[in-house]
Amino acid sequence: MTRQWGGSNTVHLWNPVKGRAYEVADPLCTLKDVFYVINKDNVWGNIQPKGTLAAINFNLSDVTCWRPLLSQKMIDEYTIQSPQSLHTVQTEIDWARSPPKESKARKMEEELHADLRNKMEDWRNEEQQLMRENQGMNRKLYQVLKRLERSAHFLEVFTQEDLHKELESYLKGYHVSGFHVNRPYTDIDGIVEEIRNSDIHHCGALPDDFGRDDTEFAHAVFVQPFSRHIYSVWVAAACLSKR
Protein backbone atom coordinates (compact mmCIF):
# COMPACT_ATOMS: atom_id res chain seq x y z
CA MET A 1 0.00 0.00 0.00
CA THR A 2 1.23 3.48 -0.85
CA ARG A 3 -0.30 6.88 -0.22
CA GLN A 4 0.02 9.82 -2.55
CA TRP A 5 0.23 12.81 -0.25
CA GLY A 6 -1.08 16.18 -1.32
CA GLY A 7 -4.44 17.39 -2.50
CA SER A 8 -5.76 13.98 -3.49
CA ASN A 9 -4.32 11.95 -0.58
CA THR A 10 -4.93 8.90 -2.76
CA VAL A 11 -4.27 5.37 -1.48
CA HIS A 12 -2.95 2.80 -3.96
CA LEU A 13 -3.03 -0.95 -3.34
CA TRP A 14 -0.42 -3.02 -5.16
CA ASN A 15 -0.58 -6.48 -6.69
CA PRO A 16 2.94 -7.73 -5.85
CA VAL A 17 2.85 -10.47 -8.49
CA LYS A 18 2.05 -8.22 -11.46
CA GLY A 19 3.51 -4.99 -10.07
CA ARG A 20 0.25 -3.15 -10.75
CA ALA A 21 -1.27 -0.46 -8.54
CA TYR A 22 -5.02 0.06 -8.03
CA GLU A 23 -6.94 2.89 -6.43
CA VAL A 24 -9.25 1.61 -3.70
CA ALA A 25 -12.33 2.52 -5.76
CA ASP A 26 -11.08 0.67 -8.85
CA PRO A 27 -13.56 -2.18 -9.60
CA LEU A 28 -10.70 -4.16 -11.20
CA CYS A 29 -8.68 -4.21 -7.98
CA THR A 30 -7.84 -7.81 -7.14
CA LEU A 31 -7.79 -7.10 -3.39
CA LYS A 32 -11.25 -7.18 -1.82
CA ASP A 33 -10.62 -6.42 1.87
CA VAL A 34 -7.89 -5.24 4.25
CA PHE A 35 -7.58 -6.67 7.76
CA TYR A 36 -4.12 -5.46 8.80
CA VAL A 37 -1.64 -2.79 7.77
CA ILE A 38 2.03 -3.02 8.75
CA ASN A 39 4.38 -0.06 8.66
CA LYS A 40 7.61 0.98 10.42
CA ASP A 41 5.69 2.10 13.51
CA ASN A 42 3.28 -0.72 14.29
CA VAL A 43 0.90 -3.43 13.16
CA TRP A 44 -2.55 -1.96 12.76
CA GLY A 45 -5.79 -3.96 12.95
CA ASN A 46 -8.79 -2.80 10.96
CA ILE A 47 -11.79 -2.44 13.33
CA GLN A 48 -14.14 -0.81 10.83
CA PRO A 49 -17.45 -2.47 9.93
CA LYS A 50 -17.10 -4.79 6.95
CA GLY A 51 -17.99 -3.07 3.72
CA THR A 52 -16.49 -2.24 0.36
CA LEU A 53 -12.81 -1.58 -0.11
CA ALA A 54 -13.56 1.98 -1.19
CA ALA A 55 -15.32 2.65 2.14
CA ILE A 56 -12.24 1.87 4.27
CA ASN A 57 -10.70 4.84 6.05
CA PHE A 58 -6.92 4.40 5.75
CA ASN A 59 -6.08 7.08 8.32
CA LEU A 60 -4.12 4.92 10.76
CA SER A 61 -4.20 7.61 13.43
CA ASP A 62 -8.00 7.35 13.66
CA VAL A 63 -8.56 5.19 16.76
CA THR A 64 -12.15 4.45 15.73
CA CYS A 65 -10.88 2.70 12.58
CA TRP A 66 -7.49 1.17 13.43
CA ARG A 67 -6.09 -0.43 16.58
CA PRO A 68 -2.31 -0.75 17.17
CA LEU A 69 -1.46 -4.34 18.04
CA LEU A 70 1.95 -3.58 19.55
CA SER A 71 1.87 -1.61 22.80
CA GLN A 72 4.26 1.27 23.37
CA LYS A 73 5.96 -0.79 26.09
CA MET A 74 6.71 -3.60 23.59
CA ILE A 75 8.04 -1.11 21.06
CA ASP A 76 10.28 0.55 23.67
CA GLU A 77 11.66 -2.82 24.81
CA TYR A 78 12.68 -3.82 21.28
CA THR A 79 14.02 -0.34 20.47
CA ILE A 80 16.59 -0.36 23.29
CA GLN A 81 17.82 -3.89 22.51
CA SER A 82 20.80 -4.40 20.26
CA PRO A 83 20.09 -5.61 16.70
CA GLN A 84 21.86 -8.90 17.50
CA SER A 85 19.17 -9.78 20.05
CA LEU A 86 16.35 -9.47 17.51
CA HIS A 87 15.61 -12.61 15.53
CA THR A 88 14.03 -12.90 12.09
CA VAL A 89 12.52 -15.77 10.13
CA GLN A 90 13.63 -14.18 6.86
CA THR A 91 16.42 -15.95 5.07
CA GLU A 92 19.38 -14.00 3.81
CA ILE A 93 18.76 -12.40 0.42
CA ASP A 94 21.42 -12.00 -2.22
CA TRP A 95 20.54 -8.67 -3.82
CA ALA A 96 23.18 -8.91 -6.54
CA ARG A 97 21.62 -8.77 -10.01
CA SER A 98 22.04 -11.89 -12.09
CA PRO A 99 21.77 -11.91 -15.90
CA PRO A 100 18.64 -13.47 -17.47
CA LYS A 101 19.16 -17.17 -18.14
CA GLU A 102 18.20 -17.66 -21.79
CA SER A 103 19.26 -21.32 -21.87
CA LYS A 104 17.03 -22.17 -18.90
CA ALA A 105 14.12 -20.31 -20.48
CA ARG A 106 14.43 -22.34 -23.69
CA LYS A 107 14.61 -25.58 -21.66
CA MET A 108 11.47 -24.58 -19.76
CA GLU A 109 9.73 -23.98 -23.09
CA GLU A 110 10.64 -27.45 -24.33
CA GLU A 111 9.56 -29.17 -21.12
CA LEU A 112 6.24 -27.35 -20.82
CA HIS A 113 5.46 -27.78 -24.53
CA ALA A 114 6.10 -31.53 -24.33
CA ASP A 115 4.11 -31.84 -21.11
CA LEU A 116 1.12 -30.02 -22.62
CA ARG A 117 1.32 -32.16 -25.77
CA ASN A 118 1.19 -35.36 -23.71
CA LYS A 119 -1.60 -34.05 -21.49
CA MET A 120 -3.71 -32.96 -24.47
CA GLU A 121 -3.30 -36.42 -25.97
CA ASP A 122 -4.36 -38.04 -22.67
CA TRP A 123 -7.39 -35.76 -22.34
CA ARG A 124 -8.47 -36.52 -25.91
CA ASN A 125 -7.96 -40.27 -25.38
CA GLU A 126 -10.24 -40.12 -22.34
CA GLU A 127 -12.99 -39.03 -24.75
CA GLN A 128 -11.88 -41.61 -27.34
CA GLN A 129 -10.84 -38.78 -29.65
CA LEU A 130 -7.64 -38.42 -31.64
CA MET A 131 -5.09 -35.69 -31.00
CA ARG A 132 -3.89 -34.23 -34.30
CA GLU A 133 -1.31 -31.48 -34.04
CA ASN A 134 -0.88 -28.63 -36.52
CA GLN A 135 2.86 -27.93 -36.45
CA GLY A 136 2.59 -24.87 -38.65
CA MET A 137 0.12 -23.26 -36.27
CA ASN A 138 2.41 -24.17 -33.36
CA ARG A 139 5.19 -22.09 -34.92
CA LYS A 140 2.85 -19.23 -35.72
CA LEU A 141 1.51 -19.10 -32.15
CA TYR A 142 5.06 -19.01 -30.83
CA GLN A 143 5.74 -15.86 -32.85
CA VAL A 144 2.48 -14.36 -31.60
CA LEU A 145 3.47 -14.97 -27.99
CA LYS A 146 6.85 -13.29 -28.52
CA ARG A 147 5.07 -10.22 -29.86
CA LEU A 148 2.64 -10.21 -26.96
CA GLU A 149 5.57 -10.17 -24.52
CA ARG A 150 7.12 -7.23 -26.34
CA SER A 151 3.77 -5.47 -26.39
CA ALA A 152 3.40 -5.97 -22.62
CA HIS A 153 6.62 -3.98 -22.18
CA PHE A 154 5.56 -1.29 -24.67
CA LEU A 155 8.31 -2.31 -27.09
CA GLU A 156 5.80 -2.67 -29.93
CA VAL A 157 2.08 -2.33 -30.59
CA PHE A 158 0.21 -5.59 -31.09
CA THR A 159 -3.54 -5.19 -31.59
CA GLN A 160 -6.39 -7.58 -32.33
CA GLU A 161 -6.05 -6.57 -35.97
CA ASP A 162 -2.36 -7.51 -35.90
CA LEU A 163 -3.29 -10.91 -34.46
CA HIS A 164 -5.73 -11.53 -37.31
CA LYS A 165 -3.04 -10.60 -39.83
CA GLU A 166 -0.62 -13.07 -38.23
CA LEU A 167 -3.18 -15.87 -38.44
CA GLU A 168 -4.76 -14.81 -41.74
CA SER A 169 -3.68 -17.86 -43.73
CA TYR A 170 -5.17 -20.19 -41.11
CA LEU A 171 -8.38 -18.21 -40.61
CA LYS A 172 -9.15 -18.60 -44.33
CA GLY A 173 -9.12 -22.40 -44.18
CA TYR A 174 -10.11 -23.14 -40.59
CA HIS A 175 -12.54 -22.23 -37.88
CA VAL A 176 -10.11 -21.28 -35.12
CA SER A 177 -10.84 -20.95 -31.42
CA GLY A 178 -8.24 -20.48 -28.72
CA PHE A 179 -6.76 -18.34 -26.00
CA HIS A 180 -3.51 -17.43 -24.30
CA VAL A 181 -2.38 -17.02 -20.70
CA ASN A 182 0.55 -15.17 -19.19
CA ARG A 183 1.79 -16.13 -15.73
CA PRO A 184 4.94 -15.67 -13.69
CA TYR A 185 6.62 -19.06 -13.43
CA THR A 186 6.04 -20.94 -10.19
CA ASP A 187 5.37 -24.50 -11.33
CA ILE A 188 4.22 -26.34 -14.44
CA ASP A 189 1.28 -28.14 -12.82
CA GLY A 190 -0.68 -24.94 -12.23
CA ILE A 191 -0.35 -23.88 -15.87
CA VAL A 192 -1.35 -27.33 -17.16
CA GLU A 193 -4.40 -27.33 -14.90
CA GLU A 194 -5.44 -23.92 -16.22
CA ILE A 195 -5.26 -25.22 -19.79
CA ARG A 196 -7.37 -28.24 -18.89
CA ASN A 197 -9.96 -26.09 -17.13
CA SER A 198 -10.35 -24.08 -20.33
CA ASP A 199 -11.85 -27.22 -21.93
CA ILE A 200 -10.00 -26.52 -25.18
CA HIS A 201 -9.57 -30.26 -25.76
CA HIS A 202 -13.35 -30.60 -26.16
CA CYS A 203 -13.48 -28.07 -29.01
CA GLY A 204 -13.95 -28.98 -32.66
CA ALA A 205 -16.45 -30.90 -34.71
CA LEU A 206 -17.61 -34.38 -33.77
CA PRO A 207 -16.57 -37.31 -35.98
CA ASP A 208 -18.86 -37.98 -38.94
CA ASP A 209 -20.77 -41.22 -39.53
CA PHE A 210 -17.60 -42.84 -40.84
CA GLY A 211 -15.54 -41.84 -37.79
CA ARG A 212 -13.61 -39.16 -39.67
CA ASP A 213 -12.51 -36.18 -37.63
CA ASP A 214 -10.67 -33.20 -39.12
CA THR A 215 -10.12 -31.38 -35.83
CA GLU A 216 -6.53 -30.29 -35.17
CA PHE A 217 -4.88 -28.65 -32.19
CA ALA A 218 -1.96 -26.33 -31.70
CA HIS A 219 -0.16 -24.94 -28.72
CA ALA A 220 2.94 -22.90 -28.06
CA VAL A 221 5.02 -21.87 -25.07
CA PHE A 222 7.25 -18.81 -24.85
CA VAL A 223 9.31 -18.00 -21.75
CA GLN A 224 10.92 -14.60 -21.26
CA PRO A 225 13.72 -14.65 -18.66
CA PHE A 226 14.49 -11.72 -16.37
CA SER A 227 17.09 -11.04 -13.74
CA ARG A 228 17.00 -12.89 -10.39
CA HIS A 229 15.45 -16.09 -11.79
CA ILE A 230 12.15 -14.47 -12.75
CA TYR A 231 10.37 -15.87 -15.81
CA SER A 232 7.32 -14.67 -17.70
CA VAL A 233 5.51 -17.70 -19.14
CA TRP A 234 3.17 -17.36 -22.12
CA VAL A 235 1.04 -20.27 -23.30
CA ALA A 236 -1.33 -20.32 -26.27
CA ALA A 237 -3.70 -23.14 -27.20
CA ALA A 238 -5.95 -23.37 -30.25
CA CYS A 239 -8.40 -25.74 -31.92
CA LEU A 240 -8.72 -25.77 -35.72
CA SER A 241 -11.59 -27.27 -37.73
CA LYS A 242 -11.63 -27.14 -41.51
CA ARG A 243 -14.22 -24.86 -43.06
Side-chain angles (χ1 to χ4, degrees), residues 7-173:
S8 62
N9 199 23
T10 304
V11 171
H12 287 95
L13 301 170
W14 289 80
N15 182 325
V17 174
K18 296 187 175 181
R20 180 176 175 182
Y22 301 87
E23 292 189 15
V24 292
D26 189 340
L28 298 179
C29 181
T30 53
L31 186 67
K32 300 305 178 185
D33 207 347
V34 175
F35 299 96
Y36 301 96
V37 171
I38 302 173
N39 65 8
K40 63 183 179 61
D41 299 316
N42 215 311
V43 179
W44 308 87
N46 184 4
I47 58 174
Q48 300 169 69
K50 186 174 178 60
T52 63
L53 194 63
I56 295 178
N57 176 1
F58 284 95
N59 181 4
L60 301 180
S61 62
D62 190 335
V63 296
T64 65
C65 298
W66 298 92
R67 178 172 298 168
L69 302 186
L70 300 179
S71 67
Q72 190 60 48
K73 180 180 178 182
M74 294 175 63
I75 295 174
D76 292 340
E77 287 178 352
Y78 280 107
T79 301
I80 62 175
Q81 293 184 45
S82 64
Q84 290 77 12
S85 65
L86 302 179
H87 301 285
T88 178
V89 296
Q90 180 172 297
T91 57
E92 185 177 349
I93 298 176
D94 178 11
W95 293 107
R97 291 177 61 86
S98 58
K101 297 185 180 299
E102 290 285 349
S103 59
K104 184 173 181 180
R106 303 292 81 81
K107 184 177 180 181
M108 289 168 60
E109 287 177 358
E110 294 175 4
E111 291 177 352
L112 184 51
H113 189 279
D115 200 18
L116 282 175
R117 172 65 176 78
N118 293 335
K119 293 294 185 183
M120 286 281 287
E121 191 168 47
D122 291 342
W123 301 336
R124 293 284 290 175
N125 287 338
E126 290 174 3
E127 307 294 329
Q128 297 183 334
Q129 303 284 344
L130 292 177
M131 164 64 182
R132 293 187 178 89
E133 195 168 9
N134 190 309
Q135 296 289 350
M137 188 60 151
N138 284 355
R139 292 188 289 271
K140 180 62 70 174
L141 289 178
Y142 184 79
Q143 296 303 318
V144 167
L145 294 180
K146 291 178 70 173
R147 295 190 65 183
L148 285 171
E149 171 67 21
R150 288 181 55 82
S151 176
H153 294 278
F154 307 103
L155 298 175
E156 72 167 284
V157 176
F158 189 68
T159 65
Q160 192 77 13
E161 183 178 347
D162 293 325
L163 175 62
H164 287 168
K165 288 181 180 178
E166 284 276 8
L167 303 180
E168 185 175 10
S169 60
Y170 291 93
L171 294 175
K172 289 179 179 179

Side-chain angles (χ1 to χ4, degrees), residues 120 123-124 177-179 195-204 215 217-218 237-239:
M120 286 281 287
W123 301 336
R124 293 284 290 175
S177 57
F179 67 101
I195 301 300
R196 176 163 196 169
N197 290 340
S198 73
D199 222 27
I200 188 72
H201 54 286
H202 283 144
C203 290
T215 300
F217 292 89
C239 174

Side-chain angles (χ1 to χ4, degrees), residues 124 127 129 202-209 211-215 241:
R124 293 284 290 175
E127 307 294 329
Q129 303 284 344
H202 283 144
C203 290
L206 295 174
D208 60 20
D209 294 337
R212 293 175 297 197
D213 180 7
D214 63 4
T215 300
S241 298

